[in-house]
Amino acid sequence: MYTIATLGSHSCLQILKGAKEEGFNTLAVATKDMAKFYRGYSFIDEVKEIAKWRDFFALEKELIKKNVIIVPHGSFVAYLGLKENKKMKVPTFGSKDVLDWEQDRKKQRQWLVDAKIKVPHEFKDGSEIKGPVIVKFYGARGGKGYFVAHNPKEFKKKIAAFKGRPHVIQEYVIGAPIYIHYFASPLSGQVEIMSVDKRYETNVDSLGRIPLKGQEHIEVEPSFVVVGNIPLTLRESMLAKALQMGEKLVESSKRLIGGRGLYGPFCLETIVPENLEFHVIEISARIVAGTNISVPYSPYSYFKHGQAMTTGRRIAREIKTAIAENRLQEVLG
Ligand code: AMP
Ligand code: AMP
């Protein structure tokens, strides 16, 4: 009997609910402040309390003994670190080789370009800036710490505070942010669209509530820190293109990263301007928190599976099928 476990945050509820629905034991590893919260859910069989995130590694031996399979999410790299994730000995769902490609913005771009997916223009140097740009630092996640500039002078002034931190200067695409959640099955080789969301970000999504006239008198920089997610459906005529992008990314990962490439859940974060072309701003190579909008299903997971199906449950289903077909090693990283 296997137990599916994850850290108590991000998309833990969705992952463990899905695991329970597929018949697994479930375990959450949570910090003291969150443990009581997770104990409130009957589909979580056990909550292990740790004092701080890094204490997770002290539990590894015990988790291995319990036949645990870890489903990683955004908190793993954010709170445990990239190197530590790669060294983790407890079996995990998904490829660890893609982590280096996901973490490095240059590699991400190389990957997208190789897959022939449209990306926003990038300026090599601040002096080349024409029109609005968004400046992103390496390793920044969830929209934290970005800034917007409109010309070389403004960029120079704003970047000074960051003392040479590696960053990219990207064309600010004026359009709708659309995040597409996929699942690539290592067992069947197929890619499917699970759900779509848009982010609710503070303060960019709230600035518009103050009329321009009122904004002139407050010293406020737009920021993109995510606080939640809103479900979306896409124009149906855009769905085929969205699916193709996911397929091309997976194909390219096999060429570039090697081995099994990218498999399991992933997300393409796009901005769509009025010409309706997807401009991909980022790849997330694992379950994203935006999939939480799909409990118990999204229109797209319902069309595909005809029953309640979240990304969390889809992962558990893949593990269950792999066990039944004696192919578990094919889904573990
Ligand atoms: P949390 O568990 O909320 O502390 O988040 C863990 C990591 O995932 C952090 O790096 C967050 O920035 C990121 N994250 C959490 N929720 C979301 C979300 N809804 N959209 C994008 N990133 C998120
Ligand atoms: P990211 O962390 O790259 O997903 O970006 C976080 C947020 O910043 C997005 O949801 C958008 O609101 C905004 N953003 C990032 N890149 C761009 C861009 N090139 N053009 C316009 N908005 C962007």
Side-chain angles (χ1 to χ4, degrees):
M1 187 66 177
Y2 289 91
T3 296
I4 291 193
T6 194
L7 293 179
S9 66
H10 192 272
S11 46
C12 172
L13 291 174
Q14 186 202 151
I15 290 168
L16 297 187
K17 175 74 178 154
K20 185 46 80 185
E21 283 166 343
E22 293 298 310
F24 289 96
N25 290 332
T26 55
L27 186 154
V29 178
T31 49
K32 229 180 179 145
D33 51 329
M34 293 296 285
K36 183 167 173 258
F37 170 77
Y38 286 105
R39 286 200 178 103
Y41 294 92
S42 58
F43 57 85
I44 304 181
D45 298 320
E46 191 184 349
V47 177
K48 277 214 165 291
E49 206 171 297
I50 49 177
K52 51 183 190 313
W53 287 121
R54 300 229 163 196
D55 293 345
F56 169 82
F57 296 106
L59 295 177
E60 281 211 283
K61 263 196 191 139
E62 190 186 334
L63 297 182
I64 292 170
K65 244 196 220 148
K66 269 184 189 286
N67 255 348
V68 159
I69 297 172
I70 296 274
V71 174
H73 54 57
S75 299
F76 280 74
V77 169
Y79 302 144
L80 300 182
L82 176 71
K83 270 193 209 135
E84 289 76 4
N85 262 270
K86 286 168 70 179
K87 275 194 270 178
M88 203 184 286
K89 290 185 206 74
V90 191
T92 53
F93 179 81
S95 159
K96 284 185 183 157
D97 299 334
V98 299
L99 290 177
D100 289 325
W101 284 77
E102 187 201 33
Q103 194 71 3
D104 183 329
R105 290 195 186 273
K106 277 200 187 116
K107 281 189 158 167
Q108 267 214 17
R109 196 170 172 87
Q110 186 192 342
W111 185 3
L112 289 164
V113 170
D114 182 84
K116 299 198 166 52
I117 291 172
K118 192 169 177 63
V119 289
H121 182 72
E122 272 184 21
F123 297 94
K124 285 207 178 65
D125 193 273
S127 61
E128 298 170 3
I129 294 174
K130 286 184 211 81
V133 294
I134 181 163
V135 180
K136 304 179 182 184
F137 296 93
Y138 281 31
R141 279 287 174 269
K144 210 171 172 185
Y146 297 172
F147 72 79
V148 174
H150 300 79
N151 52 54
K153 197 172 154 206
E154 187 186 355
F155 171 81
K156 207 170 156 190
K157 197 170 148 210
K158 286 184 172 169
I159 197 75
F162 295 93
K163 301 189 174 78
R165 242 177 97 187
H167 59 270
V168 293
I169 309 167
Q170 206 171 70
E171 162 199 5
Y172 188 92
V173 183
I174 298 174
I178 290 175
Y179 287 50
I180 309 161
H181 319 136
Y182 301 86
F183 187 88
S185 164
L187 298 178
S188 74
Q190 279 186 3
V191 178
E192 59 195 270
I193 293 179
M194 298 304 300
S195 43
V196 185
D197 81 296
K198 69 175 262 186
R199 284 181 175 183
Y200 196 42
E201 294 165 347
T202 190
N203 57 20
V204 276
D205 289 326
S206 34
L207 285 175
R209 299 173 65 182
I210 307 166
L212 187 60
K213 225 169 134 198
Q215 287 183 32
E216 280 166 7
H217 305 288
I218 38 175
E219 281 283 319
V220 62
E221 276 290 326
S223 68
F224 299 87
V225 177
V226 62
V227 281
N229 304 79
I230 303 165
L232 266 192
T233 56
L234 270 179
R235 277 175 71 160
E236 192 152 313
S237 53
M238 293 168 78
L239 279 175
K241 182 86 191 289
L243 181 60
Q244 271 169 19
M245 280 197 306
E247 289 170 341
K248 288 196 293 189
L249 192 78
V250 170
E251 273 166 36
S252 153
S253 75
K254 289 181 183 144
R255 282 195 298 273
L256 283 184
I257 303 169
R260 287 167 288 169
L262 171 68
Y263 66 89
F266 66 98
C267 172
L268 284 178
E269 311 185 352
T270 78
I271 309 273
V272 181
E274 62 184 343
N275 67 6
L276 296 185
E277 265 195 274
F278 291 105
H279 290 58
V280 174
I281 54 172
E282 201 160 305
I283 306 167
S284 287
R286 70 182 100 78
I287 186 168
V288 290
T291 58
N292 289 336
I293 53 109
S294 70
V295 183
Y297 45 54
S298 84
Y300 305 119
S301 70
Y302 184 69
F303 292 142
K304 191 82 186 166
H305 297 277
Q307 66 172 137
M309 186 59 68
T310 61
T311 293
R313 186 170 184 182
R314 184 67 188 83
I315 294 168
R317 168 96 28 117
E318 193 78 359
I319 297 172
K320 189 166 126 182
T321 310
I323 293 167
E325 295 179 1
N326 216 358
R327 299 170 69 189
L328 188 57
Q329 288 316 314
E330 290 178 43
V331 305
L332 300 180

